[in-house]
Amino acid sequence: MEEIIKHIDMEMLKSYSYQGSYTDEYLFFTDKLENIFQENKNVKLEFFLMIYCIEGEIKLELNNSPHHLHQKDLIISLPNTIIGQVLASPNHKIKIICFSNRLLQRLTQTEKYTWKWVCYIQKNPIKHFEGEEEKLFNQYLDLIESKAQTYLLHSEFFKKGNLYFHQF
């Protein structure tokens, strides 16, 4: 029986956004698995995906290979990876960051070891953080979340401002 695979790109993520998530043409940031994996289908992601497990556990398959995330684990999925069988413990807390292919190309176009980096990620998609590495990665997440919060505040301000001025 043929598997049904849903293709998801950055444009589609915009429609999946909920209050508290952030999206632009290069980046999508959320703390909800449902914002990407809405149905119990395999998905083919057209972007670079990182899922950081803060609490609980996440089980999923990358290209039919099973993986298990625990607290302080990060999984990286390259574009065009098929992800399926996503299960999360009831107490899970995560951060999901998606980068567009365009941004990824910009970041790696001058990198000498890009191909080695891609091969390494395909073989080793999970990274566990401890100590100083964990602290630095959490600062990185906080920076992205800060950008998202600033964007959301500005958006809300301008929406309310437009409503206010249209009353006159």
PDB file of all heavy atoms in Angstrom, residues 92-117:
ATOM      1  N   HIS A  92       5.383  16.826  27.340  1.00  0.00           N
ATOM      2  CA  HIS A  92       6.478  17.350  26.518  1.00  0.00           C
ATOM      3  C   HIS A  92       6.419  18.871  26.385  1.00  0.00           C
ATOM      4  O   HIS A  92       5.346  19.475  26.381  1.00  0.00           O
ATOM      5  CB  HIS A  92       6.481  16.691  25.127  1.00  0.00           C
ATOM      6  CG  HIS A  92       5.441  17.231  24.198  1.00  0.00           C
ATOM      7  ND1 HIS A  92       4.119  16.846  24.264  1.00  0.00           N
ATOM      8  CD2 HIS A  92       5.530  18.127  23.191  1.00  0.00           C
ATOM      9  CE1 HIS A  92       3.441  17.484  23.334  1.00  0.00           C
ATOM     10  NE2 HIS A  92       4.263  18.272  22.665  1.00  0.00           N
ATOM     11  N   LYS A  93       7.601  19.459  26.317  1.00  0.00           N
ATOM     12  CA  LYS A  93       7.774  20.875  25.993  1.00  0.00           C
ATOM     13  C   LYS A  93       8.888  20.923  24.963  1.00  0.00           C
ATOM     14  O   LYS A  93       9.946  20.322  25.159  1.00  0.00           O
ATOM     15  CB  LYS A  93       8.173  21.695  27.221  1.00  0.00           C
ATOM     16  CG  LYS A  93       7.054  21.941  28.184  1.00  0.00           C
ATOM     17  CD  LYS A  93       7.492  22.891  29.275  1.00  0.00           C
ATOM     18  CE  LYS A  93       6.382  23.067  30.298  1.00  0.00           C
ATOM     19  NZ  LYS A  93       6.825  23.891  31.424  1.00  0.00           N
ATOM     20  N   ILE A  94       8.625  21.642  23.884  1.00  0.00           N
ATOM     21  CA  ILE A  94       9.594  21.692  22.797  1.00  0.00           C
ATOM     22  C   ILE A  94       9.710  23.094  22.226  1.00  0.00           C
ATOM     23  O   ILE A  94       8.869  23.954  22.500  1.00  0.00           O
ATOM     24  CB  ILE A  94       9.195  20.737  21.646  1.00  0.00           C
ATOM     25  CG1 ILE A  94       7.814  21.124  21.125  1.00  0.00           C
ATOM     26  CG2 ILE A  94       9.255  19.295  22.059  1.00  0.00           C
ATOM     27  CD1 ILE A  94       7.512  20.574  19.765  1.00  0.00           C
ATOM     28  N   LYS A  95      10.727  23.287  21.424  1.00  0.00           N
ATOM     29  CA  LYS A  95      10.878  24.467  20.576  1.00  0.00           C
ATOM     30  C   LYS A  95      11.173  23.936  19.183  1.00  0.00           C
ATOM     31  O   LYS A  95      12.007  23.046  19.016  1.00  0.00           O
ATOM     32  CB  LYS A  95      12.045  25.350  21.033  1.00  0.00           C
ATOM     33  CG  LYS A  95      11.913  25.911  22.430  1.00  0.00           C
ATOM     34  CD  LYS A  95      10.925  27.028  22.491  1.00  0.00           C
ATOM     35  CE  LYS A  95      10.891  27.588  23.911  1.00  0.00           C
ATOM     36  NZ  LYS A  95       9.872  28.552  24.114  1.00  0.00           N
ATOM     37  N   ILE A  96      10.472  24.461  18.207  1.00  0.00           N
ATOM     38  CA  ILE A  96      10.688  24.071  16.822  1.00  0.00           C
ATOM     39  C   ILE A  96      11.130  25.303  16.048  1.00  0.00           C
ATOM     40  O   ILE A  96      10.503  26.360  16.139  1.00  0.00           O
ATOM     41  CB  ILE A  96       9.404  23.511  16.190  1.00  0.00           C
ATOM     42  CG1 ILE A  96       8.961  22.243  16.919  1.00  0.00           C
ATOM     43  CG2 ILE A  96       9.617  23.232  14.700  1.00  0.00           C
ATOM     44  CD1 ILE A  96       7.652  21.665  16.423  1.00  0.00           C
ATOM     45  N   ILE A  97      12.212  25.134  15.300  1.00  0.00           N
ATOM     46  CA  ILE A  97      12.719  26.201  14.452  1.00  0.00           C
ATOM     47  C   ILE A  97      12.838  25.642  13.042  1.00  0.00           C
ATOM     48  O   ILE A  97      13.436  24.585  12.835  1.00  0.00           O
ATOM     49  CB  ILE A  97      14.104  26.695  14.910  1.00  0.00           C
ATOM     50  CG1 ILE A  97      14.069  27.106  16.375  1.00  0.00           C
ATOM     51  CG2 ILE A  97      14.576  27.851  14.038  1.00  0.00           C
ATOM     52  CD1 ILE A  97      15.438  27.285  16.978  1.00  0.00           C
ATOM     53  N   CYS A  98      12.269  26.348  12.082  1.00  0.00           N
ATOM     54  CA  CYS A  98      12.371  25.963  10.675  1.00  0.00           C
ATOM     55  C   CYS A  98      13.041  27.102   9.915  1.00  0.00           C
ATOM     56  O   CYS A  98      12.651  28.261  10.071  1.00  0.00           O
ATOM     57  CB  CYS A  98      10.993  25.713  10.077  1.00  0.00           C
ATOM     58  SG  CYS A  98      10.037  24.474  10.952  1.00  0.00           S
ATOM     59  N   PHE A  99      14.039  26.757   9.126  1.00  0.00           N
ATOM     60  CA  PHE A  99      14.716  27.730   8.270  1.00  0.00           C
ATOM     61  C   PHE A  99      14.396  27.405   6.817  1.00  0.00           C
ATOM     62  O   PHE A  99      14.439  26.240   6.425  1.00  0.00           O
ATOM     63  CB  PHE A  99      16.233  27.676   8.445  1.00  0.00           C
ATOM     64  CG  PHE A  99      16.713  28.030   9.811  1.00  0.00           C
ATOM     65  CD1 PHE A  99      17.207  27.058  10.662  1.00  0.00           C
ATOM     66  CD2 PHE A  99      16.689  29.341  10.247  1.00  0.00           C
ATOM     67  CE1 PHE A  99      17.664  27.380  11.922  1.00  0.00           C
ATOM     68  CE2 PHE A  99      17.147  29.673  11.517  1.00  0.00           C
ATOM     69  CZ  PHE A  99      17.626  28.693  12.354  1.00  0.00           C
ATOM     70  N   SER A 100      14.125  28.413   6.017  1.00  0.00           N
ATOM     71  CA  SER A 100      13.847  28.186   4.603  1.00  0.00           C
ATOM     72  C   SER A 100      15.109  27.716   3.887  1.00  0.00           C
ATOM     73  O   SER A 100      16.233  27.978   4.335  1.00  0.00           O
ATOM     74  CB  SER A 100      13.334  29.473   3.951  1.00  0.00           C
ATOM     75  OG  SER A 100      14.379  30.424   3.861  1.00  0.00           O
ATOM     76  N   ASN A 101      14.911  27.055   2.771  1.00  0.00           N
ATOM     77  CA  ASN A 101      16.052  26.634   1.952  1.00  0.00           C
ATOM     78  C   ASN A 101      16.859  27.837   1.494  1.00  0.00           C
ATOM     79  O   ASN A 101      18.085  27.780   1.420  1.00  0.00           O
ATOM     80  CB  ASN A 101      15.570  25.841   0.733  1.00  0.00           C
ATOM     81  CG  ASN A 101      15.027  24.497   1.122  1.00  0.00           C
ATOM     82  OD1 ASN A 101      15.256  24.001   2.213  1.00  0.00           O
ATOM     83  ND2 ASN A 101      14.276  23.899   0.218  1.00  0.00           N
ATOM     84  N   ARG A 102      16.164  28.920   1.208  1.00  0.00           N
ATOM     85  CA  ARG A 102      16.835  30.146   0.764  1.00  0.00           C
ATOM     86  C   ARG A 102      17.796  30.672   1.824  1.00  0.00           C
ATOM     87  O   ARG A 102      18.936  31.026   1.517  1.00  0.00           O
ATOM     88  CB  ARG A 102      15.772  31.191   0.448  1.00  0.00           C
ATOM     89  CG  ARG A 102      16.211  32.203  -0.538  1.00  0.00           C
ATOM     90  CD  ARG A 102      14.981  32.874  -1.112  1.00  0.00           C
ATOM     91  NE  ARG A 102      15.182  34.305  -1.044  1.00  0.00           N
ATOM     92  CZ  ARG A 102      14.213  35.174  -0.994  1.00  0.00           C
ATOM     93  NH1 ARG A 102      12.967  34.784  -0.979  1.00  0.00           N
ATOM     94  NH2 ARG A 102      14.469  36.449  -0.966  1.00  0.00           N
ATOM     95  N   LEU A 103      17.350  30.697   3.072  1.00  0.00           N
ATOM     96  CA  LEU A 103      18.220  31.149   4.153  1.00  0.00           C
ATOM     97  C   LEU A 103      19.388  30.182   4.334  1.00  0.00           C
ATOM     98  O   LEU A 103      20.532  30.604   4.496  1.00  0.00           O
ATOM     99  CB  LEU A 103      17.438  31.282   5.463  1.00  0.00           C
ATOM    100  CG  LEU A 103      18.265  31.712   6.673  1.00  0.00           C
ATOM    101  CD1 LEU A 103      18.853  33.104   6.467  1.00  0.00           C
ATOM    102  CD2 LEU A 103      17.429  31.676   7.934  1.00  0.00           C
ATOM    103  N   LEU A 104      19.110  28.909   4.298  1.00  0.00           N
ATOM    104  CA  LEU A 104      20.153  27.900   4.447  1.00  0.00           C
ATOM    105  C   LEU A 104      21.214  28.047   3.359  1.00  0.00           C
ATOM    106  O   LEU A 104      22.417  27.967   3.640  1.00  0.00           O
ATOM    107  CB  LEU A 104      19.528  26.510   4.409  1.00  0.00           C
ATOM    108  CG  LEU A 104      20.359  25.359   4.916  1.00  0.00           C
ATOM    109  CD1 LEU A 104      20.788  25.579   6.360  1.00  0.00           C
ATOM    110  CD2 LEU A 104      19.588  24.069   4.801  1.00  0.00           C
ATOM    111  N   GLN A 105      20.794  28.291   2.126  1.00  0.00           N
ATOM    112  CA  GLN A 105      21.745  28.489   1.033  1.00  0.00           C
ATOM    113  C   GLN A 105      22.589  29.731   1.257  1.00  0.00           C
ATOM    114  O   GLN A 105      23.796  29.720   1.013  1.00  0.00           O
ATOM    115  CB  GLN A 105      21.007  28.575  -0.301  1.00  0.00           C
ATOM    116  CG  GLN A 105      20.456  27.246  -0.744  1.00  0.00           C
ATOM    117  CD  GLN A 105      19.466  27.371  -1.886  1.00  0.00           C
ATOM    118  OE1 GLN A 105      19.079  28.474  -2.285  1.00  0.00           O
ATOM    119  NE2 GLN A 105      19.034  26.238  -2.403  1.00  0.00           N
ATOM    120  N   ARG A 106      21.965  30.791   1.743  1.00  0.00           N
ATOM    121  CA  ARG A 106      22.714  32.024   2.037  1.00  0.00           C
ATOM    122  C   ARG A 106      23.759  31.803   3.125  1.00  0.00           C
ATOM    123  O   ARG A 106      24.864  32.310   3.045  1.00  0.00           O
ATOM    124  CB  ARG A 106      21.769  33.121   2.490  1.00  0.00           C
ATOM    125  CG  ARG A 106      21.024  33.776   1.404  1.00  0.00           C
ATOM    126  CD  ARG A 106      20.125  34.810   2.003  1.00  0.00           C
ATOM    127  NE  ARG A 106      20.041  35.949   1.134  1.00  0.00           N
ATOM    128  CZ  ARG A 106      19.350  37.021   1.414  1.00  0.00           C
ATOM    129  NH1 ARG A 106      18.710  37.111   2.554  1.00  0.00           N
ATOM    130  NH2 ARG A 106      19.296  38.020   0.576  1.00  0.00           N
ATOM    131  N   LEU A 107      23.384  31.052   4.145  1.00  0.00           N
ATOM    132  CA  LEU A 107      24.288  30.825   5.262  1.00  0.00           C
ATOM    133  C   LEU A 107      25.456  29.916   4.898  1.00  0.00           C
ATOM    134  O   LEU A 107      26.528  30.015   5.490  1.00  0.00           O
ATOM    135  CB  LEU A 107      23.532  30.223   6.451  1.00  0.00           C
ATOM    136  CG  LEU A 107      22.490  31.107   7.108  1.00  0.00           C
ATOM    137  CD1 LEU A 107      21.706  30.315   8.155  1.00  0.00           C
ATOM    138  CD2 LEU A 107      23.136  32.331   7.741  1.00  0.00           C
ATOM    139  N   THR A 108      25.235  29.025   3.954  1.00  0.00           N
ATOM    140  CA  THR A 108      26.270  28.024   3.651  1.00  0.00           C
ATOM    141  C   THR A 108      26.978  28.237   2.321  1.00  0.00           C
ATOM    142  O   THR A 108      27.870  27.470   1.988  1.00  0.00           O
ATOM    143  CB  THR A 108      25.652  26.609   3.653  1.00  0.00           C
ATOM    144  OG1 THR A 108      24.622  26.542   2.665  1.00  0.00           O
ATOM    145  CG2 THR A 108      25.124  26.237   5.012  1.00  0.00           C
ATOM    146  N   GLN A 109      26.641  29.262   1.575  1.00  0.00           N
ATOM    147  CA  GLN A 109      27.222  29.428   0.243  1.00  0.00           C
ATOM    148  C   GLN A 109      28.731  29.650   0.258  1.00  0.00           C
ATOM    149  O   GLN A 109      29.412  29.281  -0.697  1.00  0.00           O
ATOM    150  CB  GLN A 109      26.521  30.535  -0.525  1.00  0.00           C
ATOM    151  CG  GLN A 109      26.740  31.924   0.007  1.00  0.00           C
ATOM    152  CD  GLN A 109      25.894  32.934  -0.748  1.00  0.00           C
ATOM    153  OE1 GLN A 109      25.280  32.624  -1.757  1.00  0.00           O
ATOM    154  NE2 GLN A 109      25.857  34.152  -0.255  1.00  0.00           N
ATOM    155  N   THR A 110      29.262  30.210   1.310  1.00  0.00           N
ATOM    156  CA  THR A 110      30.704  30.429   1.366  1.00  0.00           C
ATOM    157  C   THR A 110      31.416  29.420   2.257  1.00  0.00           C
ATOM    158  O   THR A 110      32.623  29.487   2.428  1.00  0.00           O
ATOM    159  CB  THR A 110      31.016  31.852   1.879  1.00  0.00           C
ATOM    160  OG1 THR A 110      30.427  32.008   3.175  1.00  0.00           O
ATOM    161  CG2 THR A 110      30.476  32.901   0.931  1.00  0.00           C
ATOM    162  N   GLU A 111      30.663  28.510   2.824  1.00  0.00           N
ATOM    163  CA  GLU A 111      31.248  27.503   3.698  1.00  0.00           C
ATOM    164  C   GLU A 111      31.985  26.441   2.901  1.00  0.00           C
ATOM    165  O   GLU A 111      31.451  25.863   1.969  1.00  0.00           O
ATOM    166  CB  GLU A 111      30.171  26.827   4.551  1.00  0.00           C
ATOM    167  CG  GLU A 111      29.736  27.629   5.746  1.00  0.00           C
ATOM    168  CD  GLU A 111      30.822  27.795   6.784  1.00  0.00           C
ATOM    169  OE1 GLU A 111      31.534  26.832   7.084  1.00  0.00           O
ATOM    170  OE2 GLU A 111      30.962  28.916   7.278  1.00  0.00           O
ATOM    171  N   LYS A 112      33.198  26.175   3.296  1.00  0.00           N
ATOM    172  CA  LYS A 112      34.040  25.200   2.612  1.00  0.00           C
ATOM    173  C   LYS A 112      33.586  23.767   2.882  1.00  0.00           C
ATOM    174  O   LYS A 112      33.673  22.903   2.025  1.00  0.00           O
ATOM    175  CB  LYS A 112      35.477  25.401   3.087  1.00  0.00           C
ATOM    176  CG  LYS A 112      36.490  24.539   2.428  1.00  0.00           C
ATOM    177  CD  LYS A 112      37.876  24.881   2.950  1.00  0.00           C
ATOM    178  CE  LYS A 112      38.914  23.946   2.391  1.00  0.00           C
ATOM    179  NZ  LYS A 112      40.240  24.247   2.920  1.00  0.00           N
ATOM    180  N   TYR A 113      33.053  23.514   4.072  1.00  0.00           N
ATOM    181  CA  TYR A 113      32.745  22.144   4.494  1.00  0.00           C
ATOM    182  C   TYR A 113      31.242  21.848   4.529  1.00  0.00           C
ATOM    183  O   TYR A 113      30.804  20.989   5.270  1.00  0.00           O
ATOM    184  CB  TYR A 113      33.360  21.873   5.869  1.00  0.00           C
ATOM    185  CG  TYR A 113      34.862  22.029   5.857  1.00  0.00           C
ATOM    186  CD1 TYR A 113      35.460  23.148   6.415  1.00  0.00           C
ATOM    187  CD2 TYR A 113      35.662  21.066   5.259  1.00  0.00           C
ATOM    188  CE1 TYR A 113      36.837  23.298   6.386  1.00  0.00           C
ATOM    189  CE2 TYR A 113      37.035  21.203   5.234  1.00  0.00           C
ATOM    190  CZ  TYR A 113      37.614  22.326   5.792  1.00  0.00           C
ATOM    191  OH  TYR A 113      38.968  22.457   5.763  1.00  0.00           O
ATOM    192  N   THR A 114      30.456  22.535   3.724  1.00  0.00           N
ATOM    193  CA  THR A 114      29.008  22.355   3.736  1.00  0.00           C
ATOM    194  C   THR A 114      28.606  20.909   3.469  1.00  0.00           C
ATOM    195  O   THR A 114      27.762  20.357   4.161  1.00  0.00           O
ATOM    196  CB  THR A 114      28.338  23.291   2.706  1.00  0.00           C
ATOM    197  OG1 THR A 114      28.655  24.632   3.049  1.00  0.00           O
ATOM    198  CG2 THR A 114      26.834  23.106   2.696  1.00  0.00           C
ATOM    199  N   TRP A 115      29.199  20.287   2.463  1.00  0.00           N
ATOM    200  CA  TRP A 115      28.820  18.921   2.117  1.00  0.00           C
ATOM    201  C   TRP A 115      29.143  17.957   3.259  1.00  0.00           C
ATOM    202  O   TRP A 115      28.351  17.066   3.573  1.00  0.00           O
ATOM    203  CB  TRP A 115      29.497  18.484   0.830  1.00  0.00           C
ATOM    204  CG  TRP A 115      28.971  17.169   0.362  1.00  0.00           C
ATOM    205  CD1 TRP A 115      29.661  16.003   0.288  1.00  0.00           C
ATOM    206  CD2 TRP A 115      27.636  16.863  -0.037  1.00  0.00           C
ATOM    207  NE1 TRP A 115      28.850  14.990  -0.153  1.00  0.00           N
ATOM    208  CE2 TRP A 115      27.592  15.492  -0.358  1.00  0.00           C
ATOM    209  CE3 TRP A 115      26.471  17.604  -0.163  1.00  0.00           C
ATOM    210  CZ2 TRP A 115      26.431  14.859  -0.798  1.00  0.00           C
ATOM    211  CZ3 TRP A 115      25.319  16.976  -0.598  1.00  0.00           C
ATOM    212  CH2 TRP A 115      25.315  15.623  -0.902  1.00  0.00           C
ATOM    213  N   LYS A 116      30.275  18.132   3.914  1.00  0.00           N
ATOM    214  CA  LYS A 116      30.628  17.281   5.065  1.00  0.00           C
ATOM    215  C   LYS A 116      29.621  17.484   6.192  1.00  0.00           C
ATOM    216  O   LYS A 116      29.235  16.539   6.869  1.00  0.00           O
ATOM    217  CB  LYS A 116      32.042  17.597   5.554  1.00  0.00           C
ATOM    218  CG  LYS A 116      33.122  17.088   4.642  1.00  0.00           C
ATOM    219  CD  LYS A 116      34.492  17.373   5.214  1.00  0.00           C
ATOM    220  CE  LYS A 116      35.561  16.882   4.271  1.00  0.00           C
ATOM    221  NZ  LYS A 116      36.906  17.130   4.789  1.00  0.00           N
ATOM    222  N   TRP A 117      29.211  18.714   6.381  1.00  0.00           N
ATOM    223  CA  TRP A 117      28.239  19.058   7.421  1.00  0.00           C
ATOM    224  C   TRP A 117      26.912  18.365   7.138  1.00  0.00           C
ATOM    225  O   TRP A 117      26.297  17.784   8.028  1.00  0.00           O
ATOM    226  CB  TRP A 117      28.106  20.584   7.446  1.00  0.00           C
ATOM    227  CG  TRP A 117      27.083  21.152   8.355  1.00  0.00           C
ATOM    228  CD1 TRP A 117      27.169  21.295   9.692  1.00  0.00           C
ATOM    229  CD2 TRP A 117      25.809  21.678   7.968  1.00  0.00           C
ATOM    230  NE1 TRP A 117      26.021  21.889  10.183  1.00  0.00           N
ATOM    231  CE2 TRP A 117      25.175  22.123   9.134  1.00  0.00           C
ATOM    232  CE3 TRP A 117      25.147  21.821   6.760  1.00  0.00           C
ATOM    233  CZ2 TRP A 117      23.915  22.699   9.128  1.00  0.00           C
ATOM    234  CZ3 TRP A 117      23.892  22.392   6.755  1.00  0.00           C
ATOM    235  CH2 TRP A 117      23.295  22.823   7.937  1.00  0.00           C
TER     236      TRP A 117
END
